[in-house]
Amino acid sequence: MAESQPQTPEAPKRNAFTRFLDGVEWLGNLLPHPVTLFALLAAGIVLLSGVFGWLGVAVEDPRPAGSRGVAEDGMIRAVSLMNGDGVRRIFTSLTENFTSFAPLGVVLVAMLGVGVAEKSGLLSAAVRAMVLGAPRHVVTVAVVFAGIVSNTASEVGYVVLIPLAGAIFYALGRHPLAGMAAAFAGVSGGYSANLLIGTVDPLLAGITEEAAQLVDPAYTVNATANWFFMIASTFLITIVGSLVSIFVVEPKLGAYDPERADPTILNKSMMEALAEPEKKGLAAAGLAFLAVLAVMAYTLLPDVRFPAWLPLLSGASVPEVLPGWGVLRDPDTGSVMRSPFFSGFVVWILIFFIAVGYAYGRVAGTMKTDRDIIDAMAAALASLGLYIVLVFFAAQFVAFFGWTNLGAITAVTGASFLQETGMTGPALFFFFILMCAVINLSLGSASAQWAVTAPIFVPMLMLIGYSPEVIQAAYRIGDSSTNIITPMMSYFGLILAWATRYDKNLGVGTLIAMMLPYSIFFMLTWSGFFFTWAFVLDLPVGPGAPTFYPAQ
């Protein structure tokens, strides 16, 4: 009797959505490393400039004659870098392109402060206090909100909050993947919503400014460019993320089978309540936070002029003017919106995180001397090695794009196309957000994607009347909404590794399918909220940030 052959397990059926996810993963895998990508783009710009320069490509400059940067004949011409002048310019400016790249300095400065807060243990303690102290019935809301707020300090949400949320839900008898999904939605899906300015804000603002200066060389974009909209978005994303978790994701996951879990999954250090030194440290950090706020307010305090009749009513000697300091107001106009306070806001990020981080560490016992602060700063900058390499090549790409006028030519051509087709109204932003979301599926780094697309779309949309700040806000919606469903996102593998400890059979498709409802609802509600905020209510997206260009 012949031996029976072992049967090959039948391959699971693949539906249209699964094939789509396979296509996204395949496309993403075709892309080179972001550093290599920028190097290739920079080289490609040099080659294109030679071709376009030889062909004599030119477009009419839409800016008024006599304006800064406008040629005498009113044309924008492609400039070749494949000649003697071009090669000499590349060699003599390579270092300056790198060191003068706007995002580099602001990110390094901000990370000096964030490093102190992270090394002291403040960020981890604050996240635990926010989530572990929440009543059982609002744990989901607390997890999503904590995820959004954790973006101020970049990695802390991915490294601390997401595994913590899974452990909390597991301990409460709820599905741990539902907890991880809620945290992931807040940390990554809500990446562009926050109450505070984080490290990504000066980074994106610097890229936006570089792109805007292709049209207006004097234009500046502050790190606070989207702050007002971010604050409002924090509550929108918290509500939407919580509702999706409670009514869509958790019911779909169903009851959890503990047999699927790794027996060592519970991280006891994450689940423990705050120790007394940590509580005292958080109280000290709170006092330091108030002190920084007081100093910030004093730098904006104007002179207070009392009415002439006040001394008569009080019967006391009252000065006519109580002098303020207001040193960070605009020295010429006294304005707060367009002032050194906001244009130099990265310094406040540095001061804030050093003050609260050291106050916490000193009281909690994790920091004792200035040496601890210095070591924390050094560790933070040491973690940026790959980012610095990426910036070197991104800076060359942006500089070459500007020198060759290819960015300006693309922008003018694109803007003319939009005007000819009548696609210049605010509804255009729905398509722009969708396009950014799709691009993000294959290019998961927010800074890398924006560095590539900003030099094209910021000038293009500026030329049809929209401000760089509003364009950046729209980009951030599309980028954030699909962060949670793209395997190209840098932390996606880490989240998958954590999730498989609760379900050993969980794969990439399962994780993406679990997060897809968040992505859909975030995209729809956030886009509508943006449209209402900017174009129906006509509210600024940030301090001194106009909706239209030129400012109306």
Side-chain angles (χ1 to χ4, degrees):
M1 181 176 179
E3 293 184 6
S4 60
Q5 297 296 322
Q7 293 183 350
T8 304
E10 184 179 351
K13 293 181 179 180
R14 311 188 67 74
N15 56 32
F17 179 68
T18 305
R19 290 194 294 271
F20 166 72
L21 295 179
D22 290 342
V24 170
E25 189 171 2
W26 174 80
L27 180 61
N29 289 334
L30 289 180
L31 290 174
H33 190 284
V35 172
T36 306
L37 178 64
F38 277 114
L40 293 174
L41 287 172
I45 291 297
V46 174
L47 294 175
L48 280 177
S49 73
V51 174
F52 284 16
W54 177 71
L55 293 175
V57 174
V59 295
E60 186 175 349
D61 197 324
R63 293 172 294 180
S67 299
R68 181 181 174 184
V70 177
E72 292 184 3
D73 61 356
M75 301 296 290
I76 302 176
R77 303 184 184 279
V79 176
S80 175
L81 295 179
M82 292 187 66
N83 53 34
D85 290 339
V87 172
R88 285 189 288 271
R89 187 173 189 182
I90 291 173
F91 270 76
T92 57
S93 302
L94 206 70
T95 302
E96 185 181 353
N97 293 342
F98 176 45
T99 57
S100 63
F101 192 56
L104 177 62
V106 291
V107 170
L108 294 180
V109 171
M111 284 303 296
L112 289 173
V114 172
V116 175
E118 186 172 10
K119 190 76 171 179
S120 69
L122 168 64
L123 301 180
S124 176
V127 168
R128 285 165 54 216
M130 188 180 301
V131 176
L132 293 177
R136 179 185 175 93
H137 60 282
V138 295
V139 164
T140 302
V141 178
V143 164
V144 177
F145 179 76
I148 297 171
V149 174
S150 73
N151 288 322
T152 304
S154 151
E155 290 89 354
V156 70
Y158 294 103
V159 177
V160 176
L161 180 62
I162 293 177
L164 173 63
I168 290 173
F169 272 53
Y170 185 47
L172 293 175
R174 299 169 65 180
H175 204 300
L177 294 183
M180 294 187 68
F184 192 15
V187 174
S188 199
Y191 194 62
S192 290
N194 215 321
L195 300 179
L196 302 173
I197 299 297
T199 53
V200 72
D201 297 286
L203 169 62
L204 295 183
I207 296 172
T208 305
E209 180 177 297
E210 297 268 356
Q213 289 177 353
L214 294 174
V215 171
D216 185 345
Y219 204 94
T220 58
V221 179
N222 296 330
T224 56
N226 301 144
W227 196 9
F228 293 162
F229 183 67
M230 286 167 53
I231 292 173
S233 296
T234 300
F235 301 101
L236 172 73
I237 296 303
T238 299
I239 293 170
V240 175
S242 300
L243 292 176
V244 171
S245 296
I246 295 168
F247 295 107
V248 179
V249 174
E250 196 163 3
K252 183 178 182 299
L253 288 170
Y256 179 63
D257 179 7
E259 294 298 323
R260 299 180 181 179
D262 181 339
T264 63
I265 188 63
L266 279 180
N267 185 328
K268 301 234 182 337
S269 66
M270 290 193 300
M271 289 296 297
E272 289 175 356
L274 293 175
E276 196 60 32
E278 292 176 309
K279 293 179 181 178
K280 291 180 178 179
L282 287 176
L287 292 176
F289 172 64
L290 294 176
V292 172
L293 286 182
V295 174
M296 293 173 71
Y298 188 54
T299 63
L300 295 177
L301 187 66
D303 293 344
V304 179
R305 184 173 297 277
F306 295 102
W309 44 263
L310 186 59
L312 299 177
L313 292 181
S314 64
S317 176
V318 178
E320 291 185 8
V321 177
L322 181 64
W325 193 27
V327 67
L328 291 183
R329 285 175 170 264
D330 187 301
D332 298 322
T333 65
S335 170
V336 174
M337 293 296 98
R338 290 286 182 178
S339 67
F341 179 87
F342 285 115
S343 61
F345 201 82
V346 67
V347 179
W348 285 119
I349 297 176
L350 172 67
I351 293 171
F352 167 76
F353 279 111
I354 290 178
V356 298
Y358 183 68
Y360 172 87
R362 184 74 180 180
V363 174
T366 57
M367 284 191 164
K368 294 182 173 60
T369 67
D370 60 321
R371 181 75 185 195
D372 295 321
I373 297 178
I374 295 168
D375 289 344
M377 290 180 172
L381 294 189
S383 68
L384 293 177
L386 179 59
Y387 169 74
I388 293 173
V389 175
L390 175 68
V391 163
F392 174 79
F393 290 99
Q396 310 312 323
F397 164 71
V398 172
F400 296 173
F401 211 50
W403 295 348
T404 59
N405 285 336
L406 296 185
I409 291 171
T410 303
V412 172
T413 304
S416 298
F417 171 77
L418 293 175
Q419 290 171 337
E420 290 171 2
T421 57
M423 295 178 61
T424 58
L428 170 69
F429 279 93
F430 288 113
F431 297 100
F432 177 62
I433 291 171
L434 179 61
M435 182 206 64
C436 293
V438 172
I439 292 175
N440 189 52
L441 292 173
S442 296
L443 189 59
S445 168
S447 57
Q449 182 191 160
W450 193 226
V452 172
T453 55
I456 298 172
F457 291 104
V458 170
M460 183 188 301
L461 296 179
M462 283 178 70
L463 291 174
I464 59 174
Y466 299 104
S467 74
E469 292 87 348
V470 163
I471 300 166
Q472 177 182 286
Y475 159 73
R476 296 178 73 172
I477 294 172
D479 172 73
S480 296
S481 296
T482 52
N483 268 344
I484 49 182
I485 61 170
T486 172
M488 299 303 108
M489 198 272 293
S490 56
Y491 285 97
F492 194 89
L494 177 64
I495 308 308
L496 183 63
W498 277 108
T500 53
R501 297 185 68 189
Y502 290 105
D503 186 349
K504 59 185 179 182
N505 296 322
L506 185 124
V508 172
T510 307
L511 180 57
I512 293 177
M514 184 172 68
M515 301 308 300
L516 186 61
Y518 294 103
S519 187
I520 293 172
F521 281 98
F522 283 175
M523 176 82 71
L524 294 175
T525 57
W526 213 349
S527 298
F529 184 65
F530 167 77
F531 185 87
T532 303
W533 179 281
F535 302 112
V536 177
L537 300 178
D538 194 24
L539 297 174
V541 292
T547 300
F548 299 99
Y549 176 83
Q552 298 177 6

